[in-house]
Amino acid sequence: MARQAHHERDTGSWKNSLRLRLLTGTLIWVLGALLLTGWGLRALFAEHLAQQLRSQLVAKLDRLSGAVSFQMDQPVQITVAPFSGDPLLQQPLSGMYWQVDQLDAAGQATVHAGIQRSRSLWDQTLDWPLFKADKTWEPTLPLHAPATYGHMFDGNGNGLVVVTRTVQLPEADAPVLRLMVAADTAMLAVPLQRFTQMLIAALCVLAAGLVVAVVVQLQLALAPLTALRRQLAAVSQGEAPEIQGEHPTEIMPLVQEFNHVLRMNAEMVERARTQAGNLAHAVNTPLSIMGNAAAQQDDALATLVREQVASASRQVEHHLARARAAAAAAQQGHGLRTPLEQPLQSLVRTMSKLHAARDIRFELQGDAWGWDFKGDTQDLMEMLGNLLDNAGKWAQSQVLLQIQPAAENSRYITLNIDDDGPGIAAEQRERIFMRGERLDEQRPGAGLGLDIVRDLVQTYGGSIEALSSPLGGLRMVLTLPGARRKA
């Protein structure tokens, strides 16, 4: 349950995902860069179109300026048709126009608008307002006069780009003229719209390619972390003593430090376990001496000494078992594994001999081969030894040790110990795990075996439960960390 809750916390904390952070940040940057690029390219292309149109209009204005002529007592004439080959200037309301206006002598007001105009204007004239920076008119030659750019609307409300030039021909009494060439802004909008559509399609394809590249790059970049996580899981499950293999340069220092911590921890646990054993031996020796001395006396003091020595011995045995189990459980994450077949077969043979006087038959059922206990061999022997011995004391004729089949990816193994004894009532079953509790004082024992077993089991993260046995007696269900051995 703890592992499942931890997994749920991992999957729920997607906001803290390094992969998601990198992917989100990169995608935001890519999107921003593409939007900025698209805006810039569109603006550059729009400016290019505008400059190109202006150049075309100025070129037409120059041709119009060279074709204007004036003779005394005659209206202004266009001596050569400058745009005879341009169909847009021949087609009515095509969007491309030219016009010649006559201004007053000061160039301040329009005297006659549209004295000459293109066929494309049909019956309309371009009403272009006059903008003069000063009120002094200085005649200029046609082809050398500067062009003025601007925008206006025609009679139909269409926008126009206009290029104008004010000129005065060199002939005597020649009027002041304003020449205009105009083009509909649709000539800019249509190609700009087509370019924008093509640009959006190209940027979408580029964005899709960049997204795929980013995802692939993140997958490749984070692949070593995924491999490291699998190796950490192998260490945690006891399948490997430490992280092994080659890793990228950026990760290798972390791997080395982690392996160093694992080794240091294993050494500390081993030293603590050794010291606990030494302390137990050092305490048990004087206790044994006092117990032997008290056994030779029969007074009240000797009885008290024997009782206290027995109590102290039980305490030492109890806490030593807990310390040994805690140390073994700590080493469980360092590749500590015990194959089941040999310890189970050895225990069955030993218990058969131990209870041979009562003709109790011990049997092992199930396939123990290929299964490992993720813990210390001595702890496994102590847990199962206590349970089998206790079952043998209560059995009438048979004790059965059974390995339950587990799923391929299961992290636990289950062992059942059944006897054909009288069993225990359901309301009394929890009492047998209490420290010093004995349901039958006539049976041998100190009431510590099952309490020690439960402490060991819980230290390894397992469980133990007393149930009714199919044989008629008691069934002890022991669940311990384990796994099927890899071939």
Side-chain angles (χ1 to χ4, degrees), residues 194-207:
R194 187 163 55 247
F195 173 80
T196 302
Q197 293 173 351
M198 295 173 60
L199 179 63
I200 291 175
L203 291 179
C204 288
V205 173
L206 178 60

Side-chain angles (χ1 to χ4, degrees), residues 70-73 168-175:
F70 173 76
Q71 293 182 5
M72 185 66 66
D73 299 330
Q168 186 174 24
L169 297 177
E171 289 80 6
D173 297 328

Side-chain angles (χ1 to χ4, degrees), residues 127-188:
D127 186 15
W128 178 255
L130 288 172
F131 297 96
K132 286 291 292 182
D134 55 18
K135 296 183 179 181
T136 304
W137 170 250
E138 296 181 359
T140 58
L141 294 176
L143 295 181
H144 298 282
T148 302
Y149 301 94
H151 294 80
M152 64 174 294
F153 292 93
D154 61 14
N156 297 323
N158 299 319
L160 299 176
V161 179
V162 183
V163 178
T164 67
R165 174 180 292 154
T166 303
V167 299
Q168 186 174 24
L169 297 177
E171 289 80 6
D173 297 328
V176 179
L177 302 177
R178 179 176 61 190
L179 311 181
M180 286 188 294
V181 179
D184 196 325
T185 54
M187 293 185 176
L188 296 176

Side-chain angles (χ1 to χ4, degrees), residues 110-414:
T110 302
V111 176
H112 296 290
I115 58 175
Q116 292 289 341
R117 61 180 182 270
S118 64
R119 183 177 177 80
S120 57
L121 275 173
W122 200 243
D123 58 350
Q124 299 182 9
T125 58
L126 301 178
D127 186 15
W128 178 255
L130 288 172
F131 297 96
K132 286 291 292 182
D134 55 18
K135 296 183 179 181
T136 304
W137 170 250
E138 296 181 359
T140 58
L141 294 176
L143 295 181
H144 298 282
T148 302
Y149 301 94
H151 294 80
M152 64 174 294
F153 292 93
D154 61 14
N156 297 323
N158 299 319
L160 299 176
V161 179
V162 183
V163 178
T164 67
R165 174 180 292 154
T166 303
V167 299
Q168 186 174 24
L169 297 177
E171 289 80 6
D173 297 328
V176 179
L177 302 177
R178 179 176 61 190
L179 311 181
M180 286 188 294
V181 179
D184 196 325
T185 54
M187 293 185 176
L188 296 176
V190 172
L192 182 60
Q193 182 181 7
R194 187 163 55 247
F195 173 80
T196 302
Q197 293 173 351
M198 295 173 60
L199 179 63
I200 291 175
L203 291 179
C204 288
V205 173
L206 178 60
L210 289 176
V211 169
V212 173
V214 167
V215 172
V216 173
Q217 184 67 21
L218 283 179
Q219 191 69 21
L220 294 176
L222 297 179
L225 294 181
T226 304
L228 180 61
R229 181 179 180 180
R230 287 197 297 266
Q231 292 194 1
L232 285 174
V235 173
S236 175
Q237 296 174 14
E239 297 176 359
E242 61 182 26
I243 300 175
Q244 300 172 349
E246 294 294 329
H247 298 272
T249 306
E250 293 79 8
I251 300 179
M252 202 61 194
L254 175 64
V255 173
Q256 294 172 349
E257 290 295 329
F258 188 82
N259 286 338
H260 176 70
V261 171
L262 287 177
R263 288 190 290 267
M264 292 293 294
N265 185 61
E267 293 174 2
M268 291 175 61
V269 169
E270 187 61 31
R271 285 198 299 268
R273 190 172 186 176
T274 301
Q275 291 173 1
N278 294 338
L279 178 62
H281 179 72
V283 173
N284 278 329
T285 299
L287 288 177
S288 298
I289 294 175
M290 287 189 293
N292 292 335
Q296 299 176 3
Q297 304 294 328
D298 197 21
D299 53 12
L301 178 60
T303 301
L304 178 61
V305 170
R306 287 196 298 271
E307 291 176 353
Q308 294 303 314
V309 166
S311 176
S313 297
R314 289 195 299 268
Q315 292 284 349
V316 170
E317 182 181 0
H318 172 74
H319 290 290
L320 179 61
R322 289 181 65 98
R324 186 168 61 249
Q331 287 183 330
Q332 181 184 350
H334 300 277
L336 189 63
R337 298 172 78 99
T338 299
L340 286 181
E341 59 269 19
Q342 184 175 354
L344 297 188
Q345 293 171 358
S346 175
L347 282 171
V348 168
R349 289 194 300 267
T350 301
M351 291 299 163
S352 297
K353 295 178 181 179
L354 183 63
H355 296 271
R358 297 180 54 239
D359 197 22
I360 303 299
R361 185 173 72 257
F362 288 81
E363 296 182 12
L364 173 63
Q365 289 187 356
D367 185 13
W369 188 90
W371 292 95
D372 290 343
F373 162 59
K374 295 182 180 179
D376 182 70
T377 303
Q378 185 176 352
D379 291 334
L380 178 66
M381 298 285 284
E382 183 164 356
M383 288 184 286
L384 289 177
N386 272 289
L387 294 176
L388 289 171
D389 184 47
N390 189 70
K393 293 174 182 178
W394 290 90
Q396 298 294 327
S397 61
Q398 182 182 11
V399 174
L400 179 62
L401 173 59
Q402 182 182 18
I403 301 177
Q404 281 191 350
E408 195 70 28
N409 58 350
S410 175
R411 297 181 179 178
Y412 293 90
I413 53 175
T414 301

